[in-house]
Amino acid sequence: MVIFLSILWNNIIPLSVMIAIGITLHRVFSLDIKTLSKLNFYLFSPAIIFKLLYTTEVTLKSAMTVLLFFVVFMVLMYACVEAVIRLRGIAGGRRGAMRNSVLFYNSANYGIPLNELVFASNPYTLSIQVLIMMLQALLPNTYGIYSVNAHRISGKEIIRTILKQPVIYAIPLGFLMRGFHIPIPYALSVPLDYSANAFIGTALVTLGVQLGSMKFSVHSFMVKEVLISCTMRLLLGPLLAFAVVWMLGLEGLMAQALIVSSSVPTSLSSVLLAVEFDNEQEFASQAVLASTVLSIVTVTLVIFVLNV
């Protein structure tokens, strides 16, 4: 019960307040969601990724272990969601939206506070979560763009779009500058901090604006697919993480941190992708909202089973 209330108070309620602010602002002022999406994609998201990579202590051994886990885990998750897509006959842009809602999870503004809560701000487990967040930031800006556009534009256009994403340059730059101990000039560090700190709030307001613009004409097929997405993200995700951790022989805090990181709800990046590339915005928004609410129960269950 204590963990349940902590997740509710520290994660769900703050997220819900920001989403509600976005809904209200849109209803009053009719905010331009495309502008908000571009701010997240091209400014705030790369800023927070760069800052966390630059400031977090990460060992090479931890990085390689997390990378191996992530690759195996994502391959298994992709195989499962692809099987569901084919069994249900999901077609067109909905295929990409379904994949994104399962494969991209909220490792930043949900995963990092959750990691600090569960592991009492342990620097080692935090570094693991930051690595997961970095990999999760890279995926939407590469595979995610391909996934929502593959059915309508050519491969060359997709590559050009991916190469325009600042995140794919912010990640190696953050590693290199930290590795070579290159200081950031004060004139740049201040705007970097401002931009990084704006990411979570702006992303949540963007989700609220998208939800506020929807008429919520609920179709039975969408309800079923949202529930399928939530089941795979919140239940299948941790189960597969358990399996991968066991396969790789990982134990202790490393294993626990990786499993907890896999249990969080669908990422806001799936909504940002849907908005930016005009692909199944309603489904993406409902998947994020539903998985975030349901995660109160499922994440608490995962932490209880791990006995952290």
Side-chain angles (χ1 to χ4, degrees):
M1 180 60 72
V2 174
I3 295 174
F4 176 88
L5 292 175
S6 294
I7 293 172
L8 180 66
W9 182 254
N10 292 299
N11 294 90
I12 304 302
I13 291 178
L15 297 182
S16 301
V17 169
M18 288 303 298
I19 292 169
I21 289 172
I23 293 172
T24 304
L25 288 174
H26 181 68
R27 293 287 171 85
V28 175
F29 300 111
S30 297
L31 300 181
D32 182 8
I33 194 167
K34 285 287 187 181
T35 300
L36 291 169
S37 174
K38 282 181 170 28
L39 283 171
N40 280 290
F41 258 102
Y42 296 100
L43 178 59
F44 301 142
S45 178
I48 192 171
I49 293 297
F50 174 86
K51 180 182 175 182
L52 284 170
L53 290 176
Y54 184 80
T55 57
T56 305
E57 184 69 41
V58 177
T59 65
L60 180 60
K61 182 181 178 181
S62 294
M64 296 307 295
T65 303
V66 171
L67 179 60
L68 177 60
F69 165 86
F70 188 79
V71 170
V72 176
F73 174 69
M74 293 305 291
V75 168
L76 292 176
M77 284 294 293
Y78 180 87
C80 292
V81 72
E82 194 62 26
V84 170
I85 286 171
R86 293 179 184 277
L87 286 171
R88 288 192 57 82
I90 299 172
R94 184 65 62 84
R95 296 170 70 98
M98 175 62 81
R99 292 190 196 103
N100 293 350
S101 70
V102 176
L103 298 177
F104 305 156
Y105 46 94
N106 201 339
S107 55
N109 57 306
Y110 193 114
I112 287 180
L114 180 66
N115 183 283
E116 293 182 332
L117 168 70
V118 173
F119 299 103
S121 300
N122 186 304
Y124 176 66
T125 57
L126 180 59
S127 70
I128 293 169
Q129 185 62 39
V130 168
L131 287 168
I132 291 291
M133 188 200 69
M134 179 267 293
L135 293 166
Q136 273 290 322
L138 187 60
L139 268 184
N141 288 274
T142 50
Y143 170 75
I145 292 173
Y146 165 79
S147 181
V148 298
N149 288 296
H151 65 291
R152 58 186 176 184
I153 64 176
S154 68
K156 288 184 178 179
E157 290 181 84
I158 292 173
I159 291 172
R160 280 198 291 267
T161 302
I162 290 172
L163 292 176
K164 293 177 183 177
Q165 305 307 310
V167 164
I168 67 174
Y169 305 106
I171 290 172
L173 184 62
F175 272 122
L176 287 172
M177 290 187 67
R178 179 173 181 82
F180 289 100
H181 306 287
I182 300 173
I184 302 174
Y186 181 77
L188 295 179
S189 67
V190 173
L192 175 66
D193 288 341
Y194 289 159
S195 300
N197 293 338
F199 168 72
I200 294 175
T202 310
L204 290 169
V205 168
T206 302
L207 174 59
V209 171
Q210 172 56 30
L211 291 170
S213 66
M214 291 179 355
K215 294 182 171 59
F216 285 99
S217 55
V218 179
H219 304 290
S220 60
F221 71 89
M222 182 172 290
V223 171
K224 289 178 182 177
E225 290 179 4
V226 168
L227 288 176
I228 289 170
S229 167
C230 291
T231 301
M232 298 187 73
R233 173 84 296 282
L234 298 173
L235 297 179
L236 181 63
L239 287 173
L240 286 180
F242 270 110
V244 175
V245 161
W246 176 78
M247 286 166 50
L248 299 178
L250 302 178
E251 297 177 343
L253 286 176
M254 170 68 79
Q256 291 177 335
L258 289 172
I259 294 169
V260 170
S261 77
S262 73
S263 68
V264 297
T266 300
S267 172
L268 289 167
S269 62
S270 61
V271 174
L272 299 178
L273 279 168
V275 171
E276 182 67 16
F277 298 102
D278 193 21
N279 184 76
E280 298 290 345
Q281 299 177 29
E282 186 173 347
F283 170 80
S285 300
Q286 289 189 18
V288 169
L289 184 62
S291 66
T292 301
V293 173
L294 293 173
S295 69
I296 304 174
V297 176
T298 59
V299 170
T300 306
L301 178 62
V302 169
I303 295 169
F304 176 77
V305 171
L306 286 174
N307 193 28
V308 179

